[in-house]
Amino acid sequence: MPALPTPFRAALGVVATVLDNAKDFPDKAIELPMLAVSTALQLSLRAQQRYAALAAKGDDLLSGRHTTDEPPPWATFDEPVDEPVDEPVTPKKTVRKPRGAAPSAFDAVGDED
C-alpha cells in the first residue's frame, strides 16, 4: 500500500482526536459557559494592559522624555523621613460623678493628683 500524503494523514489525526473528545463532551458541556466567560475576561484584561502600555509610550513620545531605570530626582520613597517626636501625653481621667450620690471608691482612685 502506498504511503498517504502527510496533510491527509494529519487530517485523519484531527478526526481521530475530535472523535476521542466527543465521547467526553456531555461531561464537559457544563464547564463551557464558565470557560467562555473566564477566557473573555482574560482577553479583555490583556487588551486593557496593552492599550495602557501603548498610551504610555505615546505620552513618552509626545513629551520627548526618555525612559530610564533611574528614579526621578523628586522621588523620596526609598529615603527615611525624619518625623518630629512628641512627648507622650497622659490623658486625664474623665469619669463623671454619679448624680445625687457620693462617688464610689472605684471612682475616687487616681484623684490624688
Side-chain angles (χ1 to χ4, degrees), residues 42-58:
Q42 185 180 31
L43 291 175
S44 171
L45 181 61
R46 284 185 186 162
Q48 289 174 2
Q49 289 172 341
R50 287 183 181 151
Y51 181 76
L54 289 173
K57 283 185 180 182

Side-chain angles (χ1 to χ4, degrees), residues 31-63:
E31 300 171 4
L32 288 178
M34 184 58 72
L35 180 64
V37 169
S38 65
T39 303
L41 290 174
Q42 185 180 31
L43 291 175
S44 171
L45 181 61
R46 284 185 186 162
Q48 289 174 2
Q49 289 172 341
R50 287 183 181 151
Y51 181 76
L54 289 173
K57 283 185 180 182
D59 289 343
D60 287 343
L61 182 65
L62 288 175
S63 66

Side-chain angles (χ1 to χ4, degrees), residues 71-86:
W74 49 264
T76 59
F77 52 86
D78 286 336
E79 299 173 9
V81 178
D82 295 332
E83 295 182 12
V85 178
D86 295 333

Side-chain angles (χ1 to χ4, degrees), residues 17-42:
T17 303
V18 168
L19 291 176
D20 288 341
N21 290 335
K23 295 175 188 174
D24 298 331
F25 182 74
D27 295 333
K28 292 187 178 183
I30 293 174
E31 300 171 4
L32 288 178
M34 184 58 72
L35 180 64
V37 169
S38 65
T39 303
L41 290 174
Q42 185 180 31

Side-chain angles (χ1 to χ4, degrees), residues 3-14:
L4 296 174
T6 305
F8 185 73
R9 290 183 302 178
L12 286 176
V14 168

